[in-house]
């Protein structure tokens, strides 16, 4: 199947670069992700897939709101410095400007008012 998809996409380009077909994530990595989500919220199970299901996992939502930054281009998860977190291990980066750089929140792109659904370049 991957070979067929690669052949079909081989002629496609995006910004003058060929479209790359990446292999599917392994079942082991999927299982590891589910295990991590269960550590964050013991009520999590694999049936949580839609927005309406999120009410089943309040601890996961709390974690997401305090540790994650979502943009149209990425999702970043950052450690917190709270002792009571229970999930994050202590930050090992020395205090000072380097720590500030390491713990910097990812910028959120600005919407282009002239082109709905598009974002301004940096």
């Amino acid at each position: 199947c991957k070979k067929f998809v690669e052949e079909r996409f081989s002629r496609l380009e995006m910004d003058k670069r060929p479209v790359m077909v990446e292999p599917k994530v392994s079942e082991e990595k999927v299982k590891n992700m589910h295990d991590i989500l269960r550590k964050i919220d013991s009520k999590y199970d694999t049936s949580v897939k839609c927005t309406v299901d999120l009410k089943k996992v309040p601890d996961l939502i709390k974690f997401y709101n305090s540790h994650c930054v979502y943009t149209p281009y990425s999702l970043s998860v950052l450690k917190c410095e709270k002792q009571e977190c229970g999930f994050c291990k202590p930050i090992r980066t020395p205090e000072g400007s380097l720590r500030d750089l390491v713990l910097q929140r990812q910028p959120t792109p600005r919407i282009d008012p002239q082109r709905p659904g598009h974002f301004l370049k940096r």
Side-chain angles (χ1 to χ4, degrees), residues 37 40-41 54 57-72 74-78 85 87 105:
L37 293 172
I40 296 170
D41 192 322
L54 294 178
V57 287
D59 291 342
L60 184 58
I61 297 304
K62 185 176 168 185
F63 178 87
Y64 179 86
N65 290 335
S66 62
H67 291 77
C68 301
V69 176
Y70 171 77
T71 74
S74 65
L75 170 68
S76 60
V77 181
L78 299 174
C85 175
F87 189 77
R105 286 279 189 193

PDB file of all heavy atoms in Angstrom, residues 37 40-41 54 57-72 74-78 85 87 105:
ATOM      1  N   LEU A  37      -0.805   8.750  28.086  1.00  0.00           N
ATOM      2  CA  LEU A  37      -2.081   9.439  28.322  1.00  0.00           C
ATOM      3  C   LEU A  37      -2.802   8.858  29.539  1.00  0.00           C
ATOM      4  O   LEU A  37      -3.423   9.600  30.302  1.00  0.00           O
ATOM      5  CB  LEU A  37      -2.964   9.372  27.075  1.00  0.00           C
ATOM      6  CG  LEU A  37      -2.432  10.155  25.871  1.00  0.00           C
ATOM      7  CD1 LEU A  37      -3.261   9.863  24.633  1.00  0.00           C
ATOM      8  CD2 LEU A  37      -2.378  11.643  26.155  1.00  0.00           C
ATOM      9  N   ILE A  40      -1.333  10.345  32.660  1.00  0.00           N
ATOM     10  CA  ILE A  40      -1.822  11.706  32.894  1.00  0.00           C
ATOM     11  C   ILE A  40      -3.240  11.669  33.458  1.00  0.00           C
ATOM     12  O   ILE A  40      -3.570  12.414  34.379  1.00  0.00           O
ATOM     13  CB  ILE A  40      -1.771  12.539  31.591  1.00  0.00           C
ATOM     14  CG1 ILE A  40      -0.319  12.705  31.142  1.00  0.00           C
ATOM     15  CG2 ILE A  40      -2.443  13.892  31.784  1.00  0.00           C
ATOM     16  CD1 ILE A  40      -0.168  13.293  29.748  1.00  0.00           C
ATOM     17  N   ASP A  41      -4.081  10.815  32.902  1.00  0.00           N
ATOM     18  CA  ASP A  41      -5.476  10.714  33.355  1.00  0.00           C
ATOM     19  C   ASP A  41      -5.872   9.238  33.379  1.00  0.00           C
ATOM     20  O   ASP A  41      -5.975   8.599  32.333  1.00  0.00           O
ATOM     21  CB  ASP A  41      -6.409  11.496  32.430  1.00  0.00           C
ATOM     22  CG  ASP A  41      -7.794  11.673  33.009  1.00  0.00           C
ATOM     23  OD1 ASP A  41      -8.303  10.735  33.662  1.00  0.00           O
ATOM     24  OD2 ASP A  41      -8.389  12.748  32.817  1.00  0.00           O
ATOM     25  N   LEU A  54     -14.060  14.433  25.527  1.00  0.00           N
ATOM     26  CA  LEU A  54     -13.087  15.057  26.416  1.00  0.00           C
ATOM     27  C   LEU A  54     -13.596  15.250  27.833  1.00  0.00           C
ATOM     28  O   LEU A  54     -12.810  15.315  28.769  1.00  0.00           O
ATOM     29  CB  LEU A  54     -12.607  16.386  25.828  1.00  0.00           C
ATOM     30  CG  LEU A  54     -11.809  16.259  24.529  1.00  0.00           C
ATOM     31  CD1 LEU A  54     -11.430  17.637  24.010  1.00  0.00           C
ATOM     32  CD2 LEU A  54     -10.585  15.388  24.722  1.00  0.00           C
ATOM     33  N   VAL A  57     -12.230  12.887  30.442  1.00  0.00           N
ATOM     34  CA  VAL A  57     -10.823  12.932  30.867  1.00  0.00           C
ATOM     35  C   VAL A  57     -10.434  14.338  31.366  1.00  0.00           C
ATOM     36  O   VAL A  57      -9.592  15.003  30.772  1.00  0.00           O
ATOM     37  CB  VAL A  57      -9.892  12.470  29.721  1.00  0.00           C
ATOM     38  CG1 VAL A  57      -9.984  10.974  29.521  1.00  0.00           C
ATOM     39  CG2 VAL A  57     -10.209  13.194  28.425  1.00  0.00           C
ATOM     40  N   PRO A  58     -11.003  14.760  32.498  1.00  0.00           N
ATOM     41  CA  PRO A  58     -10.729  16.126  32.971  1.00  0.00           C
ATOM     42  C   PRO A  58      -9.259  16.374  33.334  1.00  0.00           C
ATOM     43  O   PRO A  58      -8.743  17.469  33.126  1.00  0.00           O
ATOM     44  CB  PRO A  58     -11.634  16.273  34.192  1.00  0.00           C
ATOM     45  CG  PRO A  58     -11.923  14.879  34.635  1.00  0.00           C
ATOM     46  CD  PRO A  58     -11.905  14.041  33.390  1.00  0.00           C
ATOM     47  N   ASP A  59      -8.572  15.347  33.853  1.00  0.00           N
ATOM     48  CA  ASP A  59      -7.154  15.537  34.192  1.00  0.00           C
ATOM     49  C   ASP A  59      -6.299  15.726  32.949  1.00  0.00           C
ATOM     50  O   ASP A  59      -5.331  16.477  32.950  1.00  0.00           O
ATOM     51  CB  ASP A  59      -6.629  14.359  35.013  1.00  0.00           C
ATOM     52  CG  ASP A  59      -7.234  14.312  36.409  1.00  0.00           C
ATOM     53  OD1 ASP A  59      -7.774  15.348  36.857  1.00  0.00           O
ATOM     54  OD2 ASP A  59      -7.172  13.240  37.043  1.00  0.00           O
ATOM     55  N   LEU A  60      -6.661  15.054  31.873  1.00  0.00           N
ATOM     56  CA  LEU A  60      -5.943  15.218  30.611  1.00  0.00           C
ATOM     57  C   LEU A  60      -6.150  16.631  30.055  1.00  0.00           C
ATOM     58  O   LEU A  60      -5.199  17.255  29.588  1.00  0.00           O
ATOM     59  CB  LEU A  60      -6.390  14.163  29.602  1.00  0.00           C
ATOM     60  CG  LEU A  60      -5.669  14.136  28.265  1.00  0.00           C
ATOM     61  CD1 LEU A  60      -4.177  13.924  28.447  1.00  0.00           C
ATOM     62  CD2 LEU A  60      -6.248  13.046  27.385  1.00  0.00           C
ATOM     63  N   ILE A  61      -7.362  17.136  30.155  1.00  0.00           N
ATOM     64  CA  ILE A  61      -7.651  18.505  29.699  1.00  0.00           C
ATOM     65  C   ILE A  61      -6.883  19.517  30.535  1.00  0.00           C
ATOM     66  O   ILE A  61      -6.304  20.475  30.011  1.00  0.00           O
ATOM     67  CB  ILE A  61      -9.170  18.792  29.757  1.00  0.00           C
ATOM     68  CG1 ILE A  61      -9.917  17.872  28.801  1.00  0.00           C
ATOM     69  CG2 ILE A  61      -9.473  20.246  29.446  1.00  0.00           C
ATOM     70  CD1 ILE A  61      -9.438  17.936  27.379  1.00  0.00           C
ATOM     71  N   LYS A  62      -6.854  19.303  31.837  1.00  0.00           N
ATOM     72  CA  LYS A  62      -6.108  20.195  32.736  1.00  0.00           C
ATOM     73  C   LYS A  62      -4.616  20.190  32.361  1.00  0.00           C
ATOM     74  O   LYS A  62      -3.974  21.238  32.290  1.00  0.00           O
ATOM     75  CB  LYS A  62      -6.315  19.726  34.176  1.00  0.00           C
ATOM     76  CG  LYS A  62      -5.713  20.609  35.213  1.00  0.00           C
ATOM     77  CD  LYS A  62      -6.087  20.058  36.595  1.00  0.00           C
ATOM     78  CE  LYS A  62      -5.294  20.723  37.677  1.00  0.00           C
ATOM     79  NZ  LYS A  62      -5.548  20.119  38.989  1.00  0.00           N
ATOM     80  N   PHE A  63      -4.067  18.996  32.103  1.00  0.00           N
ATOM     81  CA  PHE A  63      -2.669  18.881  31.687  1.00  0.00           C
ATOM     82  C   PHE A  63      -2.440  19.620  30.371  1.00  0.00           C
ATOM     83  O   PHE A  63      -1.490  20.386  30.227  1.00  0.00           O
ATOM     84  CB  PHE A  63      -2.279  17.403  31.535  1.00  0.00           C
ATOM     85  CG  PHE A  63      -0.870  17.207  31.053  1.00  0.00           C
ATOM     86  CD1 PHE A  63       0.173  17.168  31.949  1.00  0.00           C
ATOM     87  CD2 PHE A  63      -0.592  17.073  29.705  1.00  0.00           C
ATOM     88  CE1 PHE A  63       1.478  16.995  31.510  1.00  0.00           C
ATOM     89  CE2 PHE A  63       0.703  16.902  29.250  1.00  0.00           C
ATOM     90  CZ  PHE A  63       1.746  16.861  30.161  1.00  0.00           C
ATOM     91  N   TYR A  64      -3.312  19.391  29.408  1.00  0.00           N
ATOM     92  CA  TYR A  64      -3.182  20.035  28.096  1.00  0.00           C
ATOM     93  C   TYR A  64      -3.184  21.560  28.248  1.00  0.00           C
ATOM     94  O   TYR A  64      -2.355  22.253  27.656  1.00  0.00           O
ATOM     95  CB  TYR A  64      -4.328  19.589  27.182  1.00  0.00           C
ATOM     96  CG  TYR A  64      -4.283  20.226  25.816  1.00  0.00           C
ATOM     97  CD1 TYR A  64      -3.535  19.673  24.800  1.00  0.00           C
ATOM     98  CD2 TYR A  64      -4.966  21.411  25.549  1.00  0.00           C
ATOM     99  CE1 TYR A  64      -3.473  20.257  23.545  1.00  0.00           C
ATOM    100  CE2 TYR A  64      -4.911  22.006  24.300  1.00  0.00           C
ATOM    101  CZ  TYR A  64      -4.163  21.426  23.312  1.00  0.00           C
ATOM    102  OH  TYR A  64      -4.099  22.024  22.086  1.00  0.00           O
ATOM    103  N   ASN A  65      -4.108  22.082  29.020  1.00  0.00           N
ATOM    104  CA  ASN A  65      -4.215  23.530  29.184  1.00  0.00           C
ATOM    105  C   ASN A  65      -3.003  24.144  29.869  1.00  0.00           C
ATOM    106  O   ASN A  65      -2.665  25.299  29.610  1.00  0.00           O
ATOM    107  CB  ASN A  65      -5.495  23.893  29.940  1.00  0.00           C
ATOM    108  CG  ASN A  65      -6.725  23.646  29.106  1.00  0.00           C
ATOM    109  OD1 ASN A  65      -6.683  23.647  27.878  1.00  0.00           O
ATOM    110  ND2 ASN A  65      -7.847  23.404  29.769  1.00  0.00           N
ATOM    111  N   SER A  66      -2.338  23.391  30.724  1.00  0.00           N
ATOM    112  CA  SER A  66      -1.198  23.956  31.447  1.00  0.00           C
ATOM    113  C   SER A  66       0.160  23.617  30.838  1.00  0.00           C
ATOM    114  O   SER A  66       1.152  24.269  31.156  1.00  0.00           O
ATOM    115  CB  SER A  66      -1.226  23.499  32.908  1.00  0.00           C
ATOM    116  OG  SER A  66      -1.109  22.103  32.993  1.00  0.00           O
ATOM    117  N   HIS A  67       0.234  22.618  29.969  1.00  0.00           N
ATOM    118  CA  HIS A  67       1.524  22.168  29.440  1.00  0.00           C
ATOM    119  C   HIS A  67       1.676  22.262  27.922  1.00  0.00           C
ATOM    120  O   HIS A  67       2.770  22.085  27.413  1.00  0.00           O
ATOM    121  CB  HIS A  67       1.766  20.706  29.830  1.00  0.00           C
ATOM    122  CG  HIS A  67       1.994  20.490  31.283  1.00  0.00           C
ATOM    123  ND1 HIS A  67       0.978  20.488  32.205  1.00  0.00           N
ATOM    124  CD2 HIS A  67       3.121  20.263  31.975  1.00  0.00           C
ATOM    125  CE1 HIS A  67       1.462  20.268  33.394  1.00  0.00           C
ATOM    126  NE2 HIS A  67       2.774  20.125  33.288  1.00  0.00           N
ATOM    127  N   CYS A  68       0.592  22.487  27.187  1.00  0.00           N
ATOM    128  CA  CYS A  68       0.652  22.371  25.724  1.00  0.00           C
ATOM    129  C   CYS A  68       0.340  23.691  25.022  1.00  0.00           C
ATOM    130  O   CYS A  68      -0.467  24.475  25.511  1.00  0.00           O
ATOM    131  CB  CYS A  68      -0.342  21.319  25.241  1.00  0.00           C
ATOM    132  SG  CYS A  68      -0.035  19.689  25.933  1.00  0.00           S
ATOM    133  N   VAL A  69       0.983  23.880  23.896  1.00  0.00           N
ATOM    134  CA  VAL A  69       0.694  25.005  23.008  1.00  0.00           C
ATOM    135  C   VAL A  69       0.408  24.407  21.636  1.00  0.00           C
ATOM    136  O   VAL A  69       1.241  23.705  21.070  1.00  0.00           O
ATOM    137  CB  VAL A  69       1.879  25.991  22.908  1.00  0.00           C
ATOM    138  CG1 VAL A  69       1.582  27.086  21.909  1.00  0.00           C
ATOM    139  CG2 VAL A  69       2.210  26.572  24.265  1.00  0.00           C
ATOM    140  N   TYR A  70      -0.788  24.666  21.138  1.00  0.00           N
ATOM    141  CA  TYR A  70      -1.207  24.142  19.848  1.00  0.00           C
ATOM    142  C   TYR A  70      -1.291  25.292  18.859  1.00  0.00           C
ATOM    143  O   TYR A  70      -1.847  26.340  19.170  1.00  0.00           O
ATOM    144  CB  TYR A  70      -2.569  23.454  19.975  1.00  0.00           C
ATOM    145  CG  TYR A  70      -3.171  23.085  18.647  1.00  0.00           C
ATOM    146  CD1 TYR A  70      -2.705  21.984  17.949  1.00  0.00           C
ATOM    147  CD2 TYR A  70      -4.176  23.842  18.080  1.00  0.00           C
ATOM    148  CE1 TYR A  70      -3.238  21.638  16.721  1.00  0.00           C
ATOM    149  CE2 TYR A  70      -4.721  23.505  16.850  1.00  0.00           C
ATOM    150  CZ  TYR A  70      -4.245  22.410  16.177  1.00  0.00           C
ATOM    151  OH  TYR A  70      -4.766  22.082  14.965  1.00  0.00           O
ATOM    152  N   THR A  71      -0.712  25.113  17.690  1.00  0.00           N
ATOM    153  CA  THR A  71      -0.844  26.075  16.603  1.00  0.00           C
ATOM    154  C   THR A  71      -1.281  25.283  15.373  1.00  0.00           C
ATOM    155  O   THR A  71      -1.243  24.048  15.383  1.00  0.00           O
ATOM    156  CB  THR A  71       0.486  26.799  16.291  1.00  0.00           C
ATOM    157  OG1 THR A  71       1.359  25.910  15.608  1.00  0.00           O
ATOM    158  CG2 THR A  71       1.155  27.339  17.543  1.00  0.00           C
ATOM    159  N   PRO A  72      -1.676  25.958  14.308  1.00  0.00           N
ATOM    160  CA  PRO A  72      -2.034  25.220  13.092  1.00  0.00           C
ATOM    161  C   PRO A  72      -0.874  24.399  12.530  1.00  0.00           C
ATOM    162  O   PRO A  72      -1.084  23.507  11.730  1.00  0.00           O
ATOM    163  CB  PRO A  72      -2.435  26.320  12.113  1.00  0.00           C
ATOM    164  CG  PRO A  72      -2.832  27.456  12.972  1.00  0.00           C
ATOM    165  CD  PRO A  72      -1.953  27.377  14.188  1.00  0.00           C
ATOM    166  N   SER A  74       1.842  23.091  14.648  1.00  0.00           N
ATOM    167  CA  SER A  74       2.569  22.233  15.583  1.00  0.00           C
ATOM    168  C   SER A  74       1.826  22.080  16.911  1.00  0.00           C
ATOM    169  O   SER A  74       0.886  22.809  17.206  1.00  0.00           O
ATOM    170  CB  SER A  74       3.950  22.827  15.858  1.00  0.00           C
ATOM    171  OG  SER A  74       3.797  24.069  16.532  1.00  0.00           O
ATOM    172  N   LEU A  75       2.324  21.141  17.681  1.00  0.00           N
ATOM    173  CA  LEU A  75       1.884  20.953  19.057  1.00  0.00           C
ATOM    174  C   LEU A  75       3.154  20.812  19.875  1.00  0.00           C
ATOM    175  O   LEU A  75       4.003  19.969  19.575  1.00  0.00           O
ATOM    176  CB  LEU A  75       1.039  19.683  19.194  1.00  0.00           C
ATOM    177  CG  LEU A  75       0.731  19.257  20.626  1.00  0.00           C
ATOM    178  CD1 LEU A  75      -0.213  20.250  21.298  1.00  0.00           C
ATOM    179  CD2 LEU A  75       0.149  17.870  20.656  1.00  0.00           C
ATOM    180  N   SER A  76       3.333  21.657  20.875  1.00  0.00           N
ATOM    181  CA  SER A  76       4.501  21.523  21.732  1.00  0.00           C
ATOM    182  C   SER A  76       4.040  21.291  23.165  1.00  0.00           C
ATOM    183  O   SER A  76       3.054  21.864  23.617  1.00  0.00           O
ATOM    184  CB  SER A  76       5.415  22.749  21.643  1.00  0.00           C
ATOM    185  OG  SER A  76       4.729  23.910  22.034  1.00  0.00           O
ATOM    186  N   VAL A  77       4.754  20.399  23.839  1.00  0.00           N
ATOM    187  CA  VAL A  77       4.471  20.064  25.230  1.00  0.00           C
ATOM    188  C   VAL A  77       5.684  20.485  26.041  1.00  0.00           C
ATOM    189  O   VAL A  77       6.806  20.106  25.727  1.00  0.00           O
ATOM    190  CB  VAL A  77       4.216  18.545  25.405  1.00  0.00           C
ATOM    191  CG1 VAL A  77       3.892  18.208  26.841  1.00  0.00           C
ATOM    192  CG2 VAL A  77       3.110  18.078  24.469  1.00  0.00           C
ATOM    193  N   LEU A  78       5.440  21.279  27.079  1.00  0.00           N
ATOM    194  CA  LEU A  78       6.527  21.795  27.892  1.00  0.00           C
ATOM    195  C   LEU A  78       6.412  21.311  29.326  1.00  0.00           C
ATOM    196  O   LEU A  78       5.307  21.170  29.849  1.00  0.00           O
ATOM    197  CB  LEU A  78       6.510  23.327  27.875  1.00  0.00           C
ATOM    198  CG  LEU A  78       6.700  23.970  26.511  1.00  0.00           C
ATOM    199  CD1 LEU A  78       6.506  25.469  26.604  1.00  0.00           C
ATOM    200  CD2 LEU A  78       8.077  23.659  25.975  1.00  0.00           C
ATOM    201  N   CYS A  85       2.900  18.971  40.362  1.00  0.00           N
ATOM    202  CA  CYS A  85       2.466  18.473  39.052  1.00  0.00           C
ATOM    203  C   CYS A  85       2.285  16.961  39.055  1.00  0.00           C
ATOM    204  O   CYS A  85       1.290  16.454  38.590  1.00  0.00           O
ATOM    205  CB  CYS A  85       3.441  18.894  37.951  1.00  0.00           C
ATOM    206  SG  CYS A  85       3.049  18.202  36.335  1.00  0.00           S
ATOM    207  N   PHE A  87       3.592  14.839  37.171  1.00  0.00           N
ATOM    208  CA  PHE A  87       3.943  14.239  35.884  1.00  0.00           C
ATOM    209  C   PHE A  87       5.326  14.690  35.422  1.00  0.00           C
ATOM    210  O   PHE A  87       6.123  13.891  34.974  1.00  0.00           O
ATOM    211  CB  PHE A  87       2.900  14.583  34.822  1.00  0.00           C
ATOM    212  CG  PHE A  87       3.102  13.819  33.559  1.00  0.00           C
ATOM    213  CD1 PHE A  87       2.724  12.494  33.459  1.00  0.00           C
ATOM    214  CD2 PHE A  87       3.719  14.403  32.476  1.00  0.00           C
ATOM    215  CE1 PHE A  87       2.944  11.767  32.302  1.00  0.00           C
ATOM    216  CE2 PHE A  87       3.941  13.691  31.316  1.00  0.00           C
ATOM    217  CZ  PHE A  87       3.545  12.365  31.237  1.00  0.00           C
ATOM    218  N   ARG A 105       7.929  29.599  25.283  1.00  0.00           N
ATOM    219  CA  ARG A 105       6.725  29.130  24.596  1.00  0.00           C
ATOM    220  C   ARG A 105       6.874  29.354  23.103  1.00  0.00           C
ATOM    221  O   ARG A 105       7.422  30.352  22.652  1.00  0.00           O
ATOM    222  CB  ARG A 105       5.492  29.904  25.079  1.00  0.00           C
ATOM    223  CG  ARG A 105       5.040  29.514  26.448  1.00  0.00           C
ATOM    224  CD  ARG A 105       4.238  28.261  26.346  1.00  0.00           C
ATOM    225  NE  ARG A 105       3.601  27.960  27.615  1.00  0.00           N
ATOM    226  CZ  ARG A 105       3.060  26.802  27.861  1.00  0.00           C
ATOM    227  NH1 ARG A 105       3.069  25.867  26.957  1.00  0.00           N
ATOM    228  NH2 ARG A 105       2.493  26.570  29.012  1.00  0.00           N
TER     229      ARG A 105
END
